[in-house]
Amino acid sequence: MKSKIVKLSKNNFVRNVLIMISGTAAAQAVTMALSPVITRLYGPEAFGLVGVFIAIVGVFTPIAALTYPLAIVLPKNDRDAKGIIRLSLYITTGISIFVALIFLIFNQLIARWFRIEDVAPYLYFIPIIILFSGFLQVVEQWLIRTKQFGITAKVSFLHALILQGSKVSLGFFHPVAVVLIILSALSEGLKAIMMIIYARRSVYKSSIAIDEVPISIRELSGKYKDFPLFRAPEVFLYGISQSLPVLLLTSFFGPASAGFYSICRTVLAMPSMLLGKSVGDVFYPRISEAANNGENLTPLIKKATISLGIIGILPYGIIVAFGPWLFSFVFGSEWVTAGEYARWIALLSFFGFLNRPSVTSLPVLSAQAFQLKFTFLMLLSSVAALAIGYYLFSNDLAAISFFGVTGAILNICLILITLHKSKNFDNKNKSDKDCSQLKD
């Protein structure tokens, strides 16, 4: 047993995951410790308004650079990776300027159209957030590529400490939604700046050979065109599918309902942020490397998925069993309804937690077109589930239950389809190797 632990501790993949988990765990510990204070200071309606703002932002930020930053991990040499960084920054700046012009001209019209007049004054923050998000995506992917996971871990903790501490300290004097909205707007910019500072101080040496022929930005944009063509629309639809429940709940049942949903999703996202994202960030370069080396990908995906299932069953199971009591005890009696929501959202969150390795593998499997179609199906299903709860039952809990169960079933399907695609990928690689050996 001891020898197995020692062997695991020397494994680079396991060590990197543990580094990422340590930073994320520290950040989540800060968030959990201060959340009971924050929820008692601001209340459900304030969380509902900031939830609406974050929902709108969540539609735009994933496509800040048309997902080109995700390609930073893939090139074999750093010269091409740095070319993708420049391309991403150009695109981010252009999109930020374009969105700024849209909101300057159509701010009030957009607010009336989506019935979000309460947050209309804060929509001007969105172009700035898009710019911050693009920079953050670039530096995060560079740190993943260069395996500087210690920087990411350290910044995650310090960022949570500053952000959550600010919510508490400012909340004692001004416990209003605008405080949460402004802090949310500045959050990604702060994290990006901190990561850039630490990255510039790092001792990493770029692996650019003198005889390497540089590829132009135009060539790089063409080489990795799958990202803007398929991944960008997919993350845009995914962002809508994540944001739409908040907007629909606000429209159907009011801001308090959106507040219950927002705090419930925040709590249920913690295991995913703690371990799922850490595994995903380390798993992405690992499976990309495995594909380049001709290794079988299916066992890697299966092992990672099963491991997450074993770890996730306990926290999500506790929420299903004791959600209302836990939310009432931790956040205050006015949040008991959020605990009822959490019981159903926990089903969706658990299988969303399990699908991290599958989602991470899809770009490597060249299955981004499939991912786009699947995300569109998820979006339609989410809208249908919430609409059924409202129009047929006129009940927010019914809407949430349909939403949670539908999402859970679709996430199971995603995992199974990804495993099928990975088997086909492995068989093709094996066939290509056999053909190559016969020719030799």
Side-chain angles (χ1 to χ4, degrees), residues 131-354:
L131 189 66
F132 287 161
S133 178
F135 278 76
L136 178 60
Q137 290 171 26
V138 164
V139 70
E140 279 183 332
Q141 293 301 318
W142 175 255
L143 292 175
I144 289 171
R145 174 185 175 81
T146 56
K147 299 182 180 179
Q148 298 184 78
F149 300 109
I151 292 176
T152 304
K154 188 184 298 183
V155 169
S156 294
F157 168 68
L158 294 175
H159 176 259
L161 193 63
I162 295 169
L163 181 63
Q164 304 303 328
S166 299
K167 288 179 182 179
V168 171
S169 56
L170 293 174
F172 280 116
F173 301 101
H174 301 286
V176 291
V178 64
V179 171
L180 296 176
I181 288 172
I182 291 173
L183 289 174
S184 297
L186 299 176
S187 173
E188 293 202 345
L190 172 64
K191 192 171 186 179
I193 290 169
M194 293 170 70
M195 283 187 167
I196 290 169
I197 291 170
Y198 279 107
R200 289 177 67 87
R201 292 178 181 175
S202 72
V203 295
Y204 175 78
K205 291 183 179 179
S206 187
S207 58
I208 297 177
I210 298 174
D211 59 345
E212 282 180 3
V213 179
I215 301 178
S216 69
I217 288 179
R218 178 176 291 184
E219 289 176 300
L220 286 170
S221 67
K223 183 176 181 180
Y224 297 100
K225 64 183 179 181
D226 276 5
F227 285 88
L229 286 177
F230 299 118
R231 192 60 182 270
E234 185 274 324
V235 297
F236 180 68
L237 291 174
Y238 181 78
I240 293 175
S241 70
Q242 295 299 298
S243 301
L244 204 58
V246 174
L247 300 175
L248 289 178
L249 287 169
T250 303
S251 178
F252 291 160
F253 305 106
S257 182
F260 293 141
Y261 177 82
S262 297
I263 193 67
C264 140
R265 282 306 300 259
T266 300
V267 171
L268 291 170
M270 286 183 179
S272 180
M273 290 298 295
L274 175 61
L275 188 60
K277 186 176 186 303
S278 300
V279 170
D281 286 347
V282 179
F283 190 71
Y284 186 29
R286 170 68 185 95
I287 200 161
S288 177
E289 182 183 342
N292 288 332
N293 294 337
E295 298 178 41
N296 285 338
L297 305 187
T298 305
L300 294 174
I301 299 170
K302 276 186 179 178
K303 186 176 180 180
T305 303
I306 292 170
S307 298
L308 289 177
I310 293 169
I311 293 166
I313 192 69
L314 181 61
Y316 289 112
I318 289 173
I319 294 295
V320 171
F322 307 107
W325 178 83
L326 281 172
F327 274 69
S328 177
F329 176 75
V330 175
F331 302 116
S333 58
E334 59 185 337
W335 292 95
V336 67
T337 303
E340 295 286 355
Y341 282 25
R343 282 180 153 168
W344 296 101
I345 302 301
L347 292 174
L348 167 61
S349 299
F350 174 65
F351 290 105
F353 178 66
L354 259 63

